[in-house]
Amino acid sequence: MNVTKQNDKGRKLHNEDCPQKVAAEQQGYAGVPVSVRIAELSGIIADLPTDSLLKRIISRDNMNVAYQKVKSNRGAGGIDKMSVDELLPYLREHRLSLLQQIKDGKYKPNPVRRVEIPKEEKGKYRKLGIPTVVDRVIQQAIAQVLTPIYEPQFSESSFGFRPGRGAHDALRQCQKYANEGYVYVVDMDLEKFFDTVCQSKLIEVLSRSIKDGRVISLIHKYLNAGVIRQGVFERSEQGVPQGGPLSPLLSNVMLNELDKELEKRNHKFVRYADDCMILCKSRRSAERTLTSTIRFIEGKLFLKVNREKTSVAHISRVKYLGYGFYRYKGECRFKVHQKSLVKMKNRLRVLTNRRKAISNEDRPLMLSRFIKGWVNYFKLADMKGMLKQVDEWLRRRIRAIYWKQWKKVRTRYRMIRQYKLPEWKVHELANCRKGIWRAAVMLNSVLTNKEIARQGYIAMSSYYEQVCEN
């Protein structure tokens, strides 16, 4: 039974127009499992049970948890246009046939829907692949079972997409190494990592731990599902589609090979997803490390290093996860990197754009959500003075919004009189002929800081004092 009506089209693309050669499917499930064949070729010993892994993945409890996770994450639909709200009725009707297809090795994922997100660099885009909601549930179910298997194998210096770990842990590790004297950094940038992963190398690495060939085959199918871009099917012979629940785990499995190599060489390093920093005590040592690491990444992992963005620098000149570093009284401390500050102010400009049709009730809520999220992420940084300056600038933009809304003189009279000012002051303000930005300064006596707070706007510096951890 087909998964969705649009699924027929996706599969037709695979079977007729663009046949794909999936090595893990050539022999079906008869005979020797794929993982064993790969292990024999590469001298790898697979050591997990053969009969329990797929059962655990498609078990009722695991699939229910996967469904709840996908539902809570929401997200856009894939090429079949099925939404998260339509998922439960579909699964109730087709659950048994869907699970049987997975057991028999006949399930074929749909191609992912290509979405391009603009990067900070002008003209560059991050390519996302949005799976269908049904495929997201299956990928989530696979990730939930494989994560406990791989977690013990991952390095203590790896922090991205791992339970109980995050960007703040990675930054504190950098700070610890810097305080120990490792102040020269190999700032490693992998070029288009998710788009250039060698799939055969990834399958080989997976097969060292996963002995169930059915699971290897299912993952391989997801890697080879292809992409629909502007209605046209494209093969996906390399790379891991970025956007599905399985891609973060697969990226960590691949880059764990780099982690193990760096640990074997006794390097101090921190890796968050594909953002890796290797810390050394001297520039000369860092330059040697850079040369040998590039040789390993390109020669053994078949990944590309972006040499324009990869460099050796003192830690005070490095941007990592949006943060910068500086030394104060002999200790390494955090600051907001200048690029992160510019990005934050650009976002605030959008939210306080006087031409943007946002109501006075919605704007404080939108600003509050952004400010709390941004400050919570950068709460490790020393930025109290900087935030006070941003607050002054932001309040002036808010006053400018109100001044523009009080466009007519009689409206200004009516609004300003509410604040119990002397009549001469009301007359002076209401008849002001200055431009909006200059007039906003004069509104300090009307829209005071306390009045702006009463309207629901929060100050970044005040919230920072509540949550800061530096």
Side-chain angles (χ1 to χ4, degrees):
M1 183 179 290
N2 295 328
V3 177
T4 63
K5 290 181 182 178
Q6 275 82 359
N7 246 357
D8 281 342
K9 295 179 183 178
R11 286 170 187 162
K12 198 169 183 180
L13 278 169
H14 281 291
N15 296 335
E16 296 177 12
D17 300 333
C18 297
Q20 296 193 18
K21 297 179 181 180
V22 181
E25 298 175 38
Q26 289 174 358
Q27 301 298 327
Y29 291 143
V32 182
V34 174
S35 57
V36 175
R37 288 191 273 115
I38 295 175
E40 288 174 350
L41 290 172
S42 57
I44 300 164
I45 300 174
D47 56 1
L48 292 180
T50 59
D51 58 349
S52 64
L53 203 56
L54 189 64
K55 288 181 182 178
R56 286 161 56 194
I57 289 171
I58 62 175
S59 68
R60 177 183 289 271
D61 290 344
N62 190 54
M63 292 295 284
N64 284 342
V65 173
Y67 163 75
Q68 293 294 339
K69 185 71 173 176
V70 170
K71 182 182 176 183
S72 65
N73 287 341
R74 303 297 297 175
I79 62 167
D80 62 357
K81 307 282 177 65
M82 184 188 291
S83 68
V84 174
D85 295 329
E86 299 172 284
L87 181 57
L88 184 57
Y90 177 83
L91 291 178
R92 282 174 174 164
E93 183 179 352
H94 299 282
R95 182 177 65 88
L96 294 178
S97 60
L98 186 63
L99 296 180
Q100 193 60 48
Q101 287 180 48
I102 296 173
K103 286 180 184 176
D104 296 341
K106 296 179 181 178
Y107 179 76
K108 290 189 178 180
N110 279 298
V112 297
R113 180 168 64 88
R114 171 69 77 218
V115 176
E116 295 184 344
I117 307 296
K119 287 187 174 182
E120 292 179 26
E121 298 96 333
K122 197 170 184 179
K124 293 189 177 180
Y125 295 87
R126 177 174 285 104
K127 296 179 181 179
L128 299 183
I130 310 300
T132 63
V133 288
V134 174
D135 284 330
R136 290 216 289 271
V137 171
I138 299 171
Q139 286 192 36
Q140 181 64 36
I142 296 171
Q144 287 169 182
V145 171
L146 296 190
T147 296
I149 294 172
Y150 280 102
E151 268 301 305
Q153 302 180 30
F154 290 156
S155 168
E156 287 297 312
S157 296
S158 166
F159 296 92
F161 308 123
R162 294 185 61 187
R165 289 168 166 249
H168 289 170
D169 302 305
L171 290 160
R172 289 191 184 98
Q173 186 84 315
C174 290
Q175 184 183 46
K176 175 177 174 290
Y177 289 147
N179 286 332
E180 292 173 359
Y182 296 87
V183 293
Y184 286 94
V185 175
V186 178
D187 190 8
M188 189 72 63
D189 185 85
L190 299 179
E191 186 175 351
K192 298 179 181 177
F193 167 72
F194 283 93
D195 299 328
T196 59
V197 170
C198 177
Q199 292 182 3
S200 58
K201 178 66 179 179
L202 176 58
I203 291 297
E204 176 203 320
V205 175
L206 286 167
S207 300
R208 298 174 190 175
S209 298
I210 303 173
K211 194 174 180 181
D212 192 335
R214 299 171 298 175
V215 177
I216 292 289
S217 176
L218 184 57
I219 294 173
H220 206 166
K221 288 175 183 176
Y222 276 113
L223 295 176
N224 282 297
V227 174
I228 297 293
R229 182 182 180 184
Q230 298 179 347
V232 179
F233 177 81
E234 297 178 2
R235 291 173 178 267
S236 54
E237 296 177 343
Q238 66 173 5
V240 176
Q242 187 179 3
L246 195 54
S247 58
L249 176 64
L250 295 181
S251 68
N252 271 336
V253 169
M254 187 68 173
L255 290 173
N256 191 48
E257 298 298 294
L258 173 61
D259 297 345
K260 289 191 289 188
E261 180 67 19
L262 294 176
E263 286 178 343
K264 189 169 72 174
R265 299 178 184 180
N266 293 320
H267 286 310
K268 305 290 185 184
F269 71 96
V270 178
R271 182 177 66 78
Y272 187 91
D274 58 333
D275 289 333
C276 183
M277 287 212 314
I278 309 171
L279 295 97
C280 304
K281 287 194 171 183
S282 69
R283 179 177 290 275
R284 187 175 178 184
S285 172
E287 288 170 350
R288 287 198 306 267
T289 300
L290 173 61
T291 303
S292 60
T293 305
I294 289 177
R295 192 183 306 125
F296 175 81
I297 291 172
E298 295 185 339
K300 300 292 185 181
L301 300 184
F302 311 112
L303 297 170
K304 295 180 182 178
V305 175
N306 188 335
R307 284 171 168 76
E308 291 181 3
K309 294 185 177 180
T310 298
S311 62
V312 171
H314 192 273
I315 195 167
S316 61
R317 298 180 178 274
V318 169
K319 172 178 176 272
Y320 191 61
L321 302 179
Y323 279 75
F325 304 85
Y326 75 102
R327 186 167 291 277
Y328 179 71
K329 293 184 178 179
E331 289 188 357
C332 177
R333 296 185 67 85
F334 300 113
K335 64 180 180 180
V336 179
H337 195 274
Q338 186 62 30
K339 289 184 178 179
S340 301
L341 177 60
V342 170
K343 190 175 179 181
M344 177 262 284
K345 293 188 76 171
N346 286 340
R347 180 59 182 159
L348 291 177
R349 283 188 179 95
V350 171
L351 294 175
T352 55
N353 189 334
R354 297 190 291 276
R355 299 179 183 87
K356 205 170 182 69
I358 304 174
S359 69
N360 290 339
E361 291 75 27
D362 290 340
R363 184 177 281 105
L365 296 174
M366 295 170 67
L367 275 169
S368 178
R369 281 197 293 267
F370 172 74
I371 288 170
K372 287 181 178 179
W374 192 90
V375 172
N376 274 314
Y377 181 76
F378 285 100
K379 63 185 178 182
L380 300 183
D382 299 323
M383 56 178 180
K384 186 176 179 180
M386 179 269 288
L387 289 185
K388 285 185 176 180
Q389 293 178 0
V390 174
D391 280 335
E392 291 176 6
W393 169 79
L394 182 59
R395 282 192 290 264
R396 186 173 176 181
R397 290 187 65 85
I398 293 168
R399 292 182 182 111
I401 291 170
Y402 282 99
W403 185 254
K404 186 180 181 184
Q405 290 174 357
W406 304 345
K407 189 172 183 179
K408 295 181 179 179
V409 173
R410 66 172 177 265
T411 305
R412 295 173 186 171
Y413 268 110
R414 187 179 73 253
M415 299 305 296
I416 295 171
R417 278 187 178 126
Q418 295 177 5
Y419 296 98
K420 307 275 193 285
L421 293 180
E423 191 60 27
W424 68 268
K425 188 68 173 177
V426 174
H427 181 77
E428 181 185 51
L429 290 173
N431 289 280
C432 175
R433 292 295 182 264
K434 293 180 179 178
I436 293 175
W437 187 242
R438 291 183 66 193
V441 177
M442 298 179 61
L443 280 184
N444 287 356
S445 56
V446 178
L447 296 176
T448 62
N449 295 358
K450 187 180 290 187
E451 176 61 23
I452 287 176
R454 194 180 68 80
Q455 298 287 344
Y457 294 97
I458 67 172
M460 298 184 78
S461 55
S462 300
Y463 186 72
Y464 170 71
E465 289 176 0
Q466 297 174 30
V467 301
C468 69
E469 294 185 7
N470 55 358

